[in-house]
mmCIF file of all heavy atoms in Angstrom:
data_model
loop_
_atom_site.group_PDB
_atom_site.id
_atom_site.type_symbol
_atom_site.label_atom_id
_atom_site.label_comp_id
_atom_site.label_asym_id
_atom_site.label_seq_id
_atom_site.Cartn_x
_atom_site.Cartn_y
_atom_site.Cartn_z
ATOM 1 N N LYS B 42 -12.507 -24.480 -7.471
ATOM 2 C CA LYS B 42 -12.079 -24.517 -6.071
ATOM 3 C C LYS B 42 -11.638 -23.133 -5.583
ATOM 4 O O LYS B 42 -12.082 -22.678 -4.525
ATOM 5 C CB LYS B 42 -10.926 -25.529 -5.912
ATOM 6 C CG LYS B 42 -11.288 -26.929 -6.416
ATOM 7 C CD LYS B 42 -10.144 -27.906 -6.273
ATOM 8 C CE LYS B 42 -8.913 -27.583 -7.100
ATOM 9 N NZ LYS B 42 -9.100 -27.674 -8.567
ATOM 10 N N THR B 43 -10.786 -22.497 -6.368
ATOM 11 C CA THR B 43 -10.320 -21.171 -5.954
ATOM 12 C C THR B 43 -11.457 -20.157 -5.974
ATOM 13 O O THR B 43 -11.562 -19.298 -5.094
ATOM 14 C CB THR B 43 -9.156 -20.715 -6.868
ATOM 15 O OG1 THR B 43 -8.080 -21.634 -6.714
ATOM 16 C CG2 THR B 43 -8.680 -19.327 -6.513
ATOM 17 N N THR B 44 -12.324 -20.270 -6.973
ATOM 18 C CA THR B 44 -13.482 -19.379 -7.032
ATOM 19 C C THR B 44 -14.342 -19.538 -5.784
ATOM 20 O O THR B 44 -14.823 -18.550 -5.223
ATOM 21 C CB THR B 44 -14.314 -19.673 -8.300
ATOM 22 O OG1 THR B 44 -13.455 -19.586 -9.436
ATOM 23 C CG2 THR B 44 -15.451 -18.681 -8.453
ATOM 24 N N GLN B 85 -3.337 -19.566 -3.596
ATOM 25 C CA GLN B 85 -2.758 -20.653 -4.386
ATOM 26 C C GLN B 85 -1.387 -20.249 -4.919
ATOM 27 O O GLN B 85 -0.428 -21.011 -4.834
ATOM 28 C CB GLN B 85 -3.705 -20.996 -5.534
ATOM 29 C CG GLN B 85 -3.228 -22.138 -6.400
ATOM 30 C CD GLN B 85 -4.301 -22.546 -7.405
ATOM 31 O OE1 GLN B 85 -5.418 -22.054 -7.377
ATOM 32 N NE2 GLN B 85 -3.955 -23.449 -8.299
ATOM 33 N N ASP B 163 -5.433 -22.749 0.110
ATOM 34 C CA ASP B 163 -5.572 -23.082 -1.310
ATOM 35 C C ASP B 163 -4.273 -23.697 -1.835
ATOM 36 O O ASP B 163 -3.329 -22.994 -2.166
ATOM 37 C CB ASP B 163 -5.940 -21.823 -2.102
ATOM 38 C CG ASP B 163 -6.511 -22.154 -3.476
ATOM 39 O OD1 ASP B 163 -6.433 -23.331 -3.895
ATOM 40 O OD2 ASP B 163 -7.034 -21.239 -4.142
ATOM 41 N N GLU B 164 -4.239 -25.004 -1.909
ATOM 42 C CA GLU B 164 -3.075 -25.753 -2.415
ATOM 43 C C GLU B 164 -1.775 -25.339 -1.744
ATOM 44 O O GLU B 164 -0.784 -25.044 -2.397
ATOM 45 C CB GLU B 164 -2.976 -25.603 -3.942
ATOM 46 C CG GLU B 164 -4.255 -26.066 -4.618
ATOM 47 C CD GLU B 164 -4.079 -26.392 -6.102
ATOM 48 O OE1 GLU B 164 -2.936 -26.626 -6.527
ATOM 49 O OE2 GLU B 164 -5.094 -26.413 -6.810
ATOM 50 N N VAL B 194 -8.064 -26.804 -0.041
ATOM 51 C CA VAL B 194 -8.016 -27.354 -1.385
ATOM 52 C C VAL B 194 -6.703 -28.093 -1.512
ATOM 53 O O VAL B 194 -5.651 -27.565 -1.138
ATOM 54 C CB VAL B 194 -8.057 -26.224 -2.437
ATOM 55 C CG1 VAL B 194 -7.728 -26.768 -3.812
ATOM 56 C CG2 VAL B 194 -9.414 -25.548 -2.427
HETATM 57 MG MG1 MG C 402 -7.285 -22.950 -7.892
#
Side-chain angles (χ1 to χ4, degrees):
Chain B
K42 304 179 296 294
T43 298
T44 305
Q85 182 172 354
D163 198 349
E164 303 199 20
V194 169

